[in-house]
């Protein structure tokens, strides 16, 4: 759906029903995809409060705070000079699309996907080729299908690992294979790997290394929003190992944002300095919540199918076709709404609404169990 800005002038961006996540709170929100939320007070011990109080509220730099970039670089395996701080990961996606793509260019988007990953490209008017990964195949990356969508005019290939909405992670070898195919078929293209959920693991499972250093043809984006549970700190970043592309992105950032918020960047640096503790608490909570969800999906296998995630506080479920016709799918969402409960509609991400995203990190453990009970009631009532 598009809206009009005067006669014959459609809006650049479509109506985004996903904005309900931030604009329309509900009591039991299973659509949220963040880890347990961090509180500001958790960052203000030691000298942090004093440093925040002494901070001059002036411009920073177009690259971002040097200490923050050093912390990001250490985690991604690149140099601080290859990190560009952005206003959240979505801002980084937009800057990359805006810098690379023109109406005469092609872009490939692996779906299902986080809506802004495609919306910016559509707004720019370039030709977007979606490559759909499927629930039935466990949302595994189909390198051949992505390669088949490439053209000499392709400037950007966009995917997420772990994927939003499924939480499925792609292997380093799959990414290397895709880069090889891009070098042959689309030599001017850049591969964007959204790593927002890379550090969002379960229990003691090892964190996979970043793809940031695989190739100058590859850019990563991430933020403190999801794994760290701090979306209100509007800080994300791009890693860019091609110096010319980095400079183009820095100039684009300066001309659109000038700099980031010094307050946000100071707090984000504090998050990253404490991230082993912060992430450890959240990995423990996510492991427990995923265990609860494993049991729940097993109990309700007659109604829903489940793709178990590799990372992140999110996953995809599907209403069984042999149990729910199209009208029953609509009734299911109506019944959920009656119970002050919400999941993420598949249509937000390019899937049919029979598929839905379920977040298992945002709610407290008791509220998560209650939300699953209400989800079960909605399944039965539909």
């Amino acid at each position: 759906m598009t809206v009009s800005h005067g006669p014959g002038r459609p809006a650049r961006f479509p109506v985004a029903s996903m904005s309900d996540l931030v604009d329309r709170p509900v009591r039991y929100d299973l659509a949220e995809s963040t880890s347990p939320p961090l509180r500001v007070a958790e960052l203000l011990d030691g000298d942090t409060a004093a440093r925040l109080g002494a901070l001059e509220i002036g411009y920073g730099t177009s690259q971002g705070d040097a200490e923050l970039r050093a912390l990001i670089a250490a985690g991604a395996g690149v140099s601080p000079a290859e990190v560009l701080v952005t206003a959240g990961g979505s801002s980084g996606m937009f800057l990359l699309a805006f810098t690379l793509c023109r109406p005469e260019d092609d872009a490939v988007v692996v779906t299902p996907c986080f809506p802004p990953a495609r919306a910016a490209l559509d707004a720019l008017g370039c030709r977007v080729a979606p490559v759909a990964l499927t629930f039935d195949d466990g949302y595994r990356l189909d390198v051949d299908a992505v390669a088949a969508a490439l053209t000499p005019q392709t400037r950007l290939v966009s995917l997420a690992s772990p994927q939003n909405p499924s939480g499925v992670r792609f292997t380093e070898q799959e990414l290397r294979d895709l880069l090889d195919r891009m070098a042959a078929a689309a030599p001017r293209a850049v591969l964007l790997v959204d790593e927002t959920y890379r550090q969002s693991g379960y229990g003691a499972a090892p964190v996979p290394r970043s793809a940031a250093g695989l190739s100058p043809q590859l850019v990563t984006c991430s933020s403190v929003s999801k794994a760290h549970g701090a979306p209100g700190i509007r800080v994300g970043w791009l890693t860019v190992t091609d110096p010319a592309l980095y400079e183009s992105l820095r100039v684009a950032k300066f001309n659109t944002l000038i700099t980031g918020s010094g307050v946000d960047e100071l707090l984000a640096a504090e998050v990253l300095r404490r991230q082993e503790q912060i992430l450890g608490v959240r990995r423990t909570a996510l492991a427990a919540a995923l265990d609860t969800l494993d049991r729940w999906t097993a109990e309700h296998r007659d109604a829903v199918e489940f793709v178990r995630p590799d990372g992140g506080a999110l996953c995809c479920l599907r209403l069984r076709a042999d149990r729910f016709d199209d009208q029953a799918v609509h009734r299911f969402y109506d019944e959920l709404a009656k119970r002050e409960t919400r999941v993420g509609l598949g249509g937000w991400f390019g899937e049919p609404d029979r598929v839905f995203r379920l977040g298992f990190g945002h709610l407290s453990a008791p509220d998560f169990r209650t939300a699953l009970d209400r989800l079960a009631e909605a399944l039965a009532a539909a």
Side-chain angles (χ1 to χ4, degrees):
M1 177 182 178
T2 59
V3 295
S4 176
H5 285 176
R9 297 197 64 180
R12 287 190 179 273
F13 292 101
V15 173
S17 58
M18 191 181 188
S19 65
D20 284 354
L21 280 176
V22 294
D23 294 334
R24 297 177 183 272
V26 299
R27 177 63 181 87
Y28 296 102
D29 200 346
L30 293 170
E32 272 291 357
S33 60
T34 62
S35 293
L38 190 65
R39 297 183 182 276
V40 174
E42 296 176 62
L43 304 176
L44 296 184
D45 58 353
D47 68 344
T48 309
R51 288 189 291 111
L52 188 61
L55 181 69
E56 293 185 358
I57 307 177
Y59 287 115
T61 69
S62 59
Q63 291 175 294
D65 177 74
E67 182 182 8
L68 175 59
R69 286 188 292 113
L71 289 164
I72 294 165
V78 297
S79 77
E82 294 168 328
V83 173
L84 182 70
V85 178
T86 60
S90 57
S91 173
M93 290 179 179
F94 178 82
L95 288 173
L96 186 63
F98 188 80
T99 298
L100 292 176
C101 297
R102 304 290 184 271
E104 65 272 15
D105 294 324
D106 295 337
V108 176
V109 177
V110 176
T111 67
C113 67
F114 179 53
R118 174 161 184 174
L121 293 163
D122 286 334
L124 292 167
C126 68
R127 297 181 294 262
V128 179
V131 175
L133 309 182
T134 68
F135 190 102
D136 288 329
D137 290 334
Y139 294 115
R140 294 307 320 167
L141 181 61
D142 187 338
V143 174
D144 288 339
V146 178
L150 299 172
T151 74
Q153 288 74 44
T154 301
R155 298 303 310 276
L156 181 65
V157 177
S158 176
L159 57 80
S161 179
Q163 188 190 52
N164 184 353
S166 72
V168 172
R169 180 183 294 116
F170 306 138
T171 67
E172 184 174 304
Q173 188 57 54
E174 288 172 326
L175 298 179
R176 289 185 183 276
D177 291 345
L178 179 54
L179 285 165
D180 288 343
R181 304 290 285 274
M182 288 170 58
R188 296 194 304 156
V190 169
L191 175 60
L192 171 63
V193 180
D194 177 359
E195 295 188 328
T196 299
Y197 293 100
R198 178 178 68 88
Q199 294 175 291
S200 189
Y202 312 132
V207 176
R209 69 176 182 174
S210 171
L214 289 184
S215 167
Q217 199 178 3
L218 186 150
V219 171
T220 73
C221 71
S222 191
S223 74
V224 295
S225 295
K226 305 295 188 178
H228 301 83
I233 300 175
R234 299 306 302 148
V235 169
W237 54 86
L238 297 171
T239 68
V240 189
T241 57
D242 178 328
L245 177 58
Y246 183 97
E247 180 59 15
S248 294
L249 289 163
R250 186 198 64 78
V251 170
K253 177 190 171 184
F254 176 79
N255 280 283
T256 52
L257 298 172
I258 304 180
T259 72
S261 159
V263 174
D264 280 10
E265 290 184 3
L266 185 152
L267 291 174
E270 196 61 33
V271 169
L272 295 184
R273 270 196 294 271
R274 304 168 186 235
Q275 72 174 354
E276 287 310 309
Q277 176 188 354
I278 289 170
L279 292 173
V281 170
R282 279 147 188 79
R283 289 169 186 153
T284 298
L286 290 180
L290 184 55
D291 183 62
T292 298
L293 182 59
D294 278 333
R295 294 194 300 272
W296 186 91
T297 55
E299 292 168 3
H300 296 88
R301 64 171 66 92
D302 62 323
V304 295
E305 300 166 285
F306 176 43
V307 173
R308 198 177 195 276
D310 300 314
L314 73 177
C315 63
C316 282
L317 282 76
R318 182 170 67 181
L319 300 174
R320 293 184 62 95
D322 58 359
R323 167 84 178 268
F324 298 88
D325 59 18
D326 290 343
Q327 289 73 32
V329 171
H330 291 297
R331 289 196 299 271
F332 164 71
Y333 287 108
D334 290 341
E335 293 294 336
L336 268 186
K338 292 176 186 176
R339 292 164 173 79
E340 300 181 273
T341 305
R342 177 169 60 196
V343 295
L345 277 71
W348 292 354
F349 312 99
E351 284 282 75
D353 284 344
R354 181 176 298 281
V355 175
F356 58 90
R357 185 181 78 178
L358 186 145
F360 53 88
H362 185 71
L363 296 174
S364 67
D367 279 355
F368 182 56
R369 290 190 292 270
T370 299
L372 290 178
D373 288 343
R374 295 187 175 208
L375 188 63
E377 292 171 6
L379 291 171

